[in-house]
Amino acid sequence: MTENPFFRPSTLAYELPPFAEIRPEHYLPAFERGMTEQLAEIAAITADPQPPTIENTLVALERSGRLLHRVRVVFENQSAACTTPEVDRLDAGISPRLAAHRDAIHLDAALFARIEELHARRAGLDLDPETLRLLERRHTAFVRAGARLGADEQARLRGINAELAAAASEFRQNVSADEKARALVLDSVEELAGLSPDAVAAAAENGRALGRDGTYVLSLKNFSNQTELASLTDRSVRERLLAASLGRAAAANGPLAIRMAALRAERARLLGHDTHAAQVVADETAGTVGAVDALLARLVPPAVANARREAAELAKVAAADGVEEIAAHDWAYYSEQVRQTSYQVDAAALRPYFELERVLRDGVFFAANLAYGVTFTERPDLVGYHPDTRVWEVFDADGTGLGLFLGDFHARASKRGGAWMDELVTQSHLLGQRPVVYNNLNIARPAAGEPVLLSWDEVRTLFHEFGHALHGLFSDVRYPYVAGTDVPRDFVEFPSQVNEMWMVRPEVLANYAKHHVTGEPLPAGLVGRMAAAESFGQGFRTVEYLAAALLDWAWHTLPEGREVADAQEFEAAALAAAGLSVAAIPPRYRTTYFGHIFAGGYSAGYYAYIWSEVLDADTVEWFGGNGRGVRESGEVFRRELLARGNSRDALDSFRAVVGRDPETAPLLARRGLV
């Protein structure tokens, strides 16, 4: 199959994958050849009769697996962003094989012996800091993967990893299928009362796209509290929409979650840890289970108290509608009523000021130029992985090409929910590669010819995900293993959260927040009222988030052998034990559609968002008060943190920017918890 486009490096700009040539039938042969080639490359390393050196062992390992990497990043992107039944079937079959391949490398005794020897002699090798970091990270990865276990334990570990990989694929596909099946189909426009005209048009367009002409379809986002709940005036429609959201994959994924948690607990014990959470956090910036426990425990009581104060305000407004008790499907709606009456902020009235193209060009890209000097040129000659995908070339301040940014902003039936960033090409001086990164969002597609208008939360998401993109684009390291966003999980959200600050910076907001018809700027007084309204909702948002974080923590602090009979009962008990059993505020994700932790890389790591926000809030204050201009501050942040990847300790990069250890006071003030 010599015509397989994966079998050779791409000749396109920045090695952008040749998406126009790639077909589903190319994946399996490329995976199989890629795994075979890498194992042969590993065998060549271990067969080398020369003593291990950085070059013949560590650098050779960095160079290995290039074909497998090319096919894997493209396949993972397609399976998430534009999947098909054929791709889903392949995902189910290839996931355990890839897990077995990773084990074959990490559990290769001869390879580990060479790395172990280098690690033991590292003090005398006169290594530069990045190479020393690479050696330490590789050694840690092998040990954490079981390289020091006995043969029987390694055999069991391989079985666990294969089963978990297959279960994650099944979990993901169960959510995707049920999300589509549970989309709320409405037959009359009257049922959509309260939604903005563009949102109604998008629901009609969604119905047409799904082959249900004449209906209005509200597709489910990947989180619990659907955005339309804030606007729909018909209480029964709100109730149906939230019920559809909360019930996703309950029957299929409940038992699967129980099994996965048990397997992770067993694996943790094999690797010498009390729980999966202990195993995970030992290699994060938090360091210990106790450190995470302490932060979460500190936040819960004031967050719940704040939410109860908000609930009292909502109850006053709801009483006028004859609603005696605020239910979960009421909270967002009456919060919006409070924002309109108390703060004169109408979410629907804001949307005309946030047109996607202008927010992207005059907001997101403008802020990146302001802080870092980069510019963006769209490349319509380069083909993305889906017709919706757009490609920009990114140029540094001196005009040199930095990499490519791909944007895929619209929801569709073949795309999973949520928003994310990933890399198609990882920056590496060793391999001579510059970054190719992409953002995926799920913005409803309007009717043909209509503008794409965003909610305030969607504006935030656009800036957030682009923060991840900048982290990948600004990577400036030698080795791919420590490049870009491959940093501790409780650090990776930090750069993206920092990037959210630009959406409200006066000079940036004034540049993009303009009415899409009249060009009028967002009214000046409205900005302050929006900030006050944001503060009002912090109780809800913090409780919603903490409930999900503590639910993740509860599943993954289970010791081996602890039996769970029912996932929903376990969930309810865990939230009650954490002091977060607030009926009107469901967790941002419930167990059975919590893809971050059961089908992604966030198991025992969803706390990372709030942990990273400590760094984020502190850094935002630094940006505003360090005595430097925006451009100079941006250069410091880029040079000392964004460019470093994992080539040095993450908190050392933070200290190099801010000049001290992180402090929690800015976060507590931002969240209204003081």
Side-chain angles (χ1 to χ4, degrees), residues 167 170-171 173-175 178 247-258 592:
E170 183 181 352
F171 188 100
Q173 292 184 33
N174 287 343
V175 173
D178 211 31
R248 275 174 284 178
N253 280 353
L256 204 55
I258 292 171
T592 57

Side-chain angles (χ1 to χ4, degrees), residues 54 58 62 119 122 127-141 283-285 477 479 481-483 486-488 491 644-653:
I54 294 298
L58 209 60
E62 287 294 283
H119 187 260
R122 65 191 183 281
L127 302 178
D128 63 85
E130 185 180 331
T131 303
L132 176 60
R133 177 72 173 174
L134 173 68
L135 175 57
E136 291 174 341
R137 294 309 304 153
R138 281 290 194 182
H139 181 264
T140 295
D283 200 39
E284 304 294 340
T285 65
V477 303
Y479 303 110
Y481 191 71
V482 293
D486 193 7
V487 296
F491 191 83
R644 294 297 188 122
N646 203 6
S647 66
R648 70 176 174 193
D649 180 84
L651 289 180
D652 284 345
S653 291

Side-chain angles (χ1 to χ4, degrees), residues 173-218:
Q173 292 184 33
N174 287 343
V175 173
S176 179
D178 211 31
E179 223 157 45
K180 293 179 179 67
R182 285 175 167 268
L184 187 62
V185 181
L186 302 171
D187 295 319
S188 69
V189 71
E190 288 76 17
E191 293 175 289
L192 295 175
L195 293 188
S196 64
D198 67 291
V200 173
E205 177 65 25
N206 197 19
R208 283 190 291 273
L210 295 173
R212 306 185 71 120
D213 286 11
T215 67
Y216 302 85
V217 178
L218 301 179

Side-chain angles (χ1 to χ4, degrees), residues 353 509-510 513 520-531:
Y353 292 94
L509 185 64
E520 290 295 314
L522 193 70
L526 185 55
V527 177
R529 298 198 301 273
M530 287 168 61

Side-chain angles (χ1 to χ4, degrees), residues 278-576:
Q279 177 196 344
V280 168
V281 80
D283 200 39
E284 304 294 340
T285 65
T288 66
V289 168
V292 178
D293 284 341
L295 177 65
L296 297 179
R298 180 180 181 185
L299 296 177
V300 169
V304 172
N306 197 357
R308 296 200 188 283
R309 287 192 295 271
E310 290 175 7
E313 291 296 311
L314 304 187
K316 296 174 186 176
V317 180
D321 288 346
V323 175
E324 296 180 0
E325 184 176 354
I326 296 289
H329 53 270
D330 295 319
W331 192 293
Y333 178 76
Y334 286 109
S335 289
E336 183 60 25
Q337 303 308 301
V338 170
R339 290 188 183 95
Q340 291 184 31
T341 57
S342 299
Y343 303 101
Q344 291 82 54
V345 174
D346 182 346
L350 288 175
R351 292 172 65 91
Y353 292 94
F354 305 133
E355 190 268 324
L356 172 61
E357 192 66 23
R358 177 166 270 163
V359 175
L360 183 66
R361 181 188 66 241
D362 297 339
V364 173
F365 290 170
F366 174 78
N369 175 260
L370 193 70
Y372 310 112
V374 293
T375 56
F376 302 82
T377 299
E378 191 154 9
R379 293 286 304 269
D381 57 308
L382 296 177
V383 177
Y385 53 84
H386 186 275
D388 287 349
T389 309
R390 299 165 64 185
V391 183
W392 287 266
E393 187 169 5
V394 187
F395 295 93
D396 222 331
D398 62 1
T400 59
L402 188 63
L404 295 178
F405 168 68
L406 282 67
D408 181 3
F409 304 116
H410 289 295
R412 53 181 173 267
S414 62
K415 184 192 285 191
R416 68 172 169 86
W420 67 97
M421 168 270 178
D422 213 330
E423 299 173 338
L424 293 166
V425 180
T426 299
Q427 180 273 331
S428 164
H429 294 306
L430 175 70
L431 303 178
Q433 292 181 321
R434 290 174 290 176
V436 177
V437 307
Y438 62 89
N439 280 169
N440 261 295
L441 276 70
N442 266 279
I443 300 166
R445 187 186 303 280
E450 294 298 315
V452 183
L453 304 181
L454 308 183
S455 69
W456 187 235
D457 280 344
E458 287 170 332
V459 173
R460 187 190 314 280
T461 299
L462 196 62
F463 276 87
H464 177 98
E465 295 303 331
F466 194 72
H468 285 304
L470 289 175
H471 199 182
L473 285 166
F474 288 155
S475 179
D476 188 16
V477 303
R478 177 168 174 76
Y479 303 110
Y481 191 71
V482 293
T485 59
D486 193 7
V487 296
R489 181 63 68 189
D490 57 8
F491 191 83
V492 74
E493 295 298 333
F494 162 43
S496 55
Q497 289 170 331
V498 166
N499 205 59
E500 294 177 22
M501 75 175 172
W502 300 111
M503 67 186 282
V504 294
R505 287 275 297 209
E507 66 270 45
V508 178
L509 185 64
N511 202 56
Y512 75 82
K514 299 177 181 178
H515 198 284
H516 73 99
V517 175
T518 68
E520 290 295 314
L522 193 70
L526 185 55
V527 177
R529 298 198 301 273
M530 287 168 61
E534 284 269 299
S535 178
F536 169 76
Q538 284 295 345
F540 172 88
R541 284 189 289 273
T542 306
V543 168
E544 179 194 45
Y545 164 76
L546 288 174
L550 281 156
L551 183 57
D552 167 35
W553 206 240
W555 279 112
H556 293 116
T557 50
L558 288 172
E560 184 190 17
R562 166 72 182 277
E563 293 187 3
V564 175
D566 180 87
Q568 293 183 349
E569 290 177 2
F570 176 84
E571 178 178 302
L575 294 176

Side-chain angles (χ1 to χ4, degrees), residues 635-656:
E635 282 302 312
V636 172
F637 190 61
R638 173 180 174 174
R639 180 182 66 249
E640 297 294 346
L641 195 143
L642 297 177
R644 294 297 188 122
N646 203 6
S647 66
R648 70 176 174 193
D649 180 84
L651 289 180
D652 284 345
S653 291
F654 174 87
R655 295 182 190 103

